[in-house]
Amino acid sequence: MPLVVQKFGGTSVADPEKILAAARKAIRAQQAGNQVVVVVSAMGHNTDLLIELAAQVNPNPQDREMDMLLSTGEQVSVALMAMAVDSLGAKAVSMTGAQMGIQTDSTFTKARIRTISPERINKLLADGNIVIAAGFQGIDQDFNITTLGRGGSDTTAVALAAVLHADACEIHTDVDGVYTTDPRQLPEARHMCRISYDEMLELASLGAGVMHNRSIEFAKKYRVPIHVRSSFSDTRGTLICDASESPSAAVCGAAMAKNEARITVQGVPDRPGTSFGIFKLLADEKITVDMIVQNVGEKDRADISFTVPKDELSRAKRTIEQACQSVGASGFTYDEGVSKISVVGIGMAKQTGVAQQMFRAIADAGINIQMITTSEIKISVLVSLANAQACLRAVHASFSLQQQPLDAAVWEELPARTNTQADLQKLVADLQAADMEKLSLSDISLADDQARITLAGVPDNPGLAADVFDAVAAAGVFVDMIVQSYDGFEGETSISLTIPRKQYQACLQAMNALANKFNFRSVHGSEQISKLSVSGIGLRSHTSVAIGMFEVLAAAGINVEMVNTSELRVNVVVASHHGVQALKCLQGRFGPTRTA
Ligand code: ADP
Ligand code: ASP
Ligand code: MG
């Protein structure tokens, strides 16, 4: 019999009427001939209320007790949902994470799923029950209750769909699908009928709160197609699957992460191992770091800037104080009034001028860019919080995201699961190996045909990044990595880019011309750099990859010149003469591989 997982988020179970409406949907799915598992979140804003309550008792509550508290929100919902189904004449049994055998590691408040034992659920389904599963929670091996992180019910739903080999995984929420950006921020955002796993994963981890990013890791790994749709109607939503909406569009969506903070560690001794020292301490504290930019300063000292979620700032500050002492940095600054705006699209990997277009749109809106980082399928900029929405709007309009691309896919019914027998065996093997959310790496490679150009002492004015990349594009240069560092005190910044080695001279010439016009302090670079990449799934939340790369390279005395991270890849740039040795170090650390 087909099996459907239906997840209802907080707003979809916010009151008794909504719970009854969700129960009716589940019963309809059962009557249509499916076995049905319903995953529910805490009612309305209950999780937020519980967090506020905890803060009134203790400003720094223990993570274990937070999970004990927060898991009660979902426990209320499952019981009420089972009662609602019963009152409408069907059979239902509610289950907590522990009862479903959702075993996690012990990282309280951000636990990862290790195993799920589907036997009890399968038995209840076979007896004709609708199984009502509590989202967001599990249990560790010492029987402590754990939670998966905010928004984690999506991950419960997709993980259950994977292990139960569900035919459909429906995420019922308060929007009727995935939009080109948050429709609450920009009313002109457009509904998409399809988006690829890679794009959704990247958008989710860059601020598109419609899906929990780790749920997309699961979906991609276990090939679970997801249908995001409205809980309040039966209209078609958005399919998250292998393919993008449009084969030609460079950008499919934009995201804003409003609750970001920037930290700049100043005067870091510029020798191999210091970045590792700093980021290792942050990783040990499970602090999520993004937009890492290193800026080589004067007298062999560097500034390192990065962003953290605002609610992790106070922990990050404590950690950085320690880090400054242990690596001998002179101090740090931070800013809570910043926002990260990103564009995402698989198509940008093959097209030139995407960054230029984004920076020009931001410049035309009169907004200053504080930092830039890119990866193969995303470009992120940091701007002041006050400018965030205007920046998002400018970028969204610049890529005409409000208009459907001419070659956009049309809606297709949820495709049949494409898992082969081999996939299924792998799934079972993963479960037996007892680590569903374990890191999965696919490739380690070395690109040895690259060059780097760095523009130092660039006046920190709106529009300069746009001028630089206009000039780069006019010279016909294909840019790969871009980083712009933060340097708020001197009123200047530095921009580094990697390009194909054969375009080095042309790019250098264009940049020197620009430097004369705008009075940059210097233009320098290296024709001899190598880019090393480690690819996989979920590399932002699996911080061990970036940290491990820093660690082995530092141990070998190899200096990391540039770094960028995405969900799919971590790239580092080193001097070419270190390339092969660096590749060997990474292979030693992460396993066998090939070169590119
Ligand atoms: P639930 O409680 O159902 O899990 P969430 O609030 O977590 O719901 O997610 C739904 C919300 O996500 C929407 O109301 C919308 O404001 C927000 N959102 C952010 N980015 C997007 C996007 N790209 N497409 C659709 N919704 C988005
Ligand atoms: N109730 C949890 C939260 O609010 C989990 C979820 O809704 O997905 O974050
Ligand atoms: Mg959610």
Side-chain angles (χ1 to χ4, degrees):
M1 193 188 280
L3 193 156
V4 177
V5 174
Q6 294 185 325
K7 179 249 168 181
F8 292 90
T11 34
S12 312
V13 293
D15 57 40
E17 286 72 39
K18 291 193 173 122
I19 292 178
L20 282 160
R24 274 187 213 104
K25 281 203 171 195
I27 293 172
R28 254 188 289 145
Q30 191 185 44
Q31 286 169 346
N34 298 291
Q35 293 188 322
V36 182
V37 175
V38 176
V39 177
V40 279
S41 292
M43 291 171 68
H45 296 290
N46 252 355
T47 309
D48 295 328
L49 297 177
L50 290 170
I51 292 171
E52 278 167 31
L53 192 60
Q56 287 171 32
V57 176
N58 182 341
N60 274 317
Q62 312 93 298
D63 287 343
R64 180 188 181 281
E65 303 311 328
M66 274 317 275
D67 281 0
M68 188 67 124
L69 179 69
L70 296 192
S71 64
T72 62
E74 271 67 15
Q75 201 171 326
V76 170
S77 308
V78 281
L80 291 174
M81 182 66 78
M83 292 174 197
V85 171
D86 177 69
S87 78
L88 295 169
K91 279 171 57 171
V93 177
S94 65
M95 299 187 90
T96 64
Q99 289 170 332
M100 286 182 280
I102 299 192
Q103 220 194 74
T104 69
D105 62 19
S106 302
T107 315
F108 296 113
T109 77
K110 282 186 189 172
R112 280 184 180 279
I113 297 178
R114 286 198 166 142
T115 54
I116 300 181
S117 331
E119 298 80 19
R120 276 187 87 176
I121 299 179
N122 278 327
K123 182 162 183 318
L124 288 167
L125 289 172
D127 290 345
N129 291 288
I130 295 177
V131 172
I132 318 289
F136 173 60
Q137 55 176 265
I139 192 164
D140 76 0
Q141 59 184 14
D142 296 322
F143 304 102
N144 297 301
I145 292 177
T146 53
T147 66
L148 308 182
R150 295 305 306 271
S153 296
D154 296 329
T155 295
T156 308
V158 180
L160 284 174
V163 293
L164 298 167
H165 203 236
D167 298 277
C169 180
E170 299 179 352
I171 303 291
H172 295 254
T173 182
D174 60 0
V175 270
D176 59 358
V178 179
Y179 281 63
T180 48
T181 195
D182 186 345
R184 260 190 255 188
Q185 295 297 338
L186 293 191
E188 64 267 38
R190 180 177 58 80
H191 178 270
M192 290 188 274
C193 68
R194 188 165 92 183
I195 184 169
S196 69
Y197 293 129
D198 289 348
E199 290 164 329
M200 190 68 240
L201 181 55
E202 203 61 47
L203 279 172
S205 91
L206 294 169
V210 62
M211 291 296 297
H212 192 225
N213 58 342
R214 277 163 44 201
S215 70
I216 311 298
E217 287 180 36
F218 263 108
K220 180 175 174 177
K221 221 151 99 178
Y222 299 111
R223 296 203 208 155
V224 182
I226 299 176
H227 183 183
V228 183
R229 59 192 308 188
S230 167
S231 7
F232 311 124
S233 75
D234 285 327
T235 53
R236 289 162 174 175
T238 302
L239 185 63
I240 307 175
C241 60
D242 286 329
S244 310
E245 183 194 43
S246 148
S248 68
V251 169
C252 76
M256 166 160 77
K258 258 183 163 173
N259 296 318
E260 294 283 291
R262 175 198 48 80
I263 297 185
T264 301
V265 188
Q266 295 167 311
V268 181
D270 189 21
R271 54 168 192 263
T274 43
S275 307
F276 166 66
I278 293 171
F279 293 113
K280 171 82 169 64
L281 283 174
L282 290 162
D284 288 348
E285 289 298 315
K286 306 274 185 237
I287 293 167
T288 326
V289 173
D290 194 32
M291 290 193 88
I292 302 172
V293 173
Q294 178 169 331
N295 163 19
V296 177
E298 311 298 325
K299 299 192 197 82
D300 293 335
R301 296 215 156 221
D303 289 349
I304 298 179
S305 297
F306 54 88
T307 55
V308 297
K310 215 182 277 178
D311 58 3
E312 297 181 16
L313 178 64
S314 54
R315 279 194 302 132
K317 283 188 335 201
R318 283 199 297 271
T319 312
I320 287 300
E321 256 163 43
Q322 267 181 42
C324 283
Q325 298 212 329
S326 64
V327 303
S330 45
F332 72 94
T333 63
Y334 65 92
D335 184 356
E336 291 179 78
V338 293
S339 171
K340 178 172 62 186
I341 308 289
S342 311
V343 295
V344 171
I346 288 185
M348 76 173 68
K350 292 183 256 82
Q351 297 186 27
T352 52
V354 183
Q356 173 205 6
Q357 190 175 337
M358 179 178 184
F359 303 153
R360 178 53 65 203
I362 298 172
D364 289 348
I367 296 170
N368 194 36
I369 299 174
Q370 299 184 6
M371 280 166 65
I372 300 171
T373 56
T374 62
S375 77
E376 287 72 13
I377 68 162
K378 74 114 211 284
I379 304 166
S380 295
V381 297
L382 198 72
V383 298
S384 75
L385 193 54
N387 284 328
Q389 195 173 16
C391 183
L392 181 68
R393 173 158 281 138
V395 166
H396 193 271
S398 143
F399 290 101
S400 303
L401 294 179
Q402 69 287 356
Q403 276 163 22
Q404 184 163 340
L406 291 174
D407 57 0
V410 291
W411 170 263
E412 45 186 310
E413 292 307 322
L414 216 52
R417 289 285 300 269
T418 49
N419 295 46
T420 60
Q421 205 51 37
D423 291 330
L424 270 180
Q425 276 164 7
K426 181 174 176 308
L427 184 63
V428 173
D430 272 351
L431 290 172
Q432 282 164 349
D435 210 348
M436 287 187 77
E437 279 197 79
K438 79 165 183 281
L439 177 61
S440 74
L441 292 181
S442 53
D443 194 28
I444 303 172
S445 63
L446 167 68
D448 209 12
D449 50 0
Q450 307 271 300
R452 171 181 57 78
I453 291 190
T454 298
L455 316 174
V458 177
D460 189 16
N461 299 332
L464 255 159
D467 290 337
V468 167
F469 289 94
D470 281 351
V472 171
V477 173
F478 187 89
V479 185
D480 180 16
M481 291 167 73
I482 302 171
V483 302
Q484 181 193 309
S485 64
Y486 174 79
D487 192 355
F489 305 98
E490 315 293 332
E492 52 183 43
T493 179
S494 71
I495 299 177
S496 294
L497 42 144
T498 63
I499 54 175
R501 188 170 297 152
K502 56 181 187 304
Q503 293 190 308
Y504 181 72
Q505 290 304 337
C507 192
L508 199 60
Q509 232 171 32
M511 293 300 99
N512 276 325
L514 209 64
N516 286 336
K517 186 165 159 202
F518 290 111
N519 257 338
F520 302 167
R521 202 171 45 237
S522 66
V523 176
H524 53 93
S526 166
E527 262 186 286
Q528 304 298 330
I529 58 146
S530 296
K531 182 172 89 170
L532 293 128
S533 312
V534 175
S535 310
I537 306 176
L539 297 191
R540 251 206 222 105
S541 57
H542 286 280
T543 47
S544 58
V545 177
I547 297 298
M549 289 173 82
F550 284 141
E551 183 174 19
V552 288
L553 296 176
I558 299 172
N559 204 28
V560 173
E561 294 183 11
M562 284 167 76
V563 51
N564 74 11
T565 59
S566 71
E567 288 288 358
L568 304 175
R569 200 173 287 184
V570 181
N571 296 306
V572 294
V573 168
V574 303
S576 270
H577 63 275
H578 286 314
V580 173
Q581 188 198 356
L583 180 67
K584 285 199 180 116
C585 291
L586 297 180
Q587 288 169 337
R589 173 71 176 230
F590 298 112
T593 142
R594 61 190 146 89
T595 49

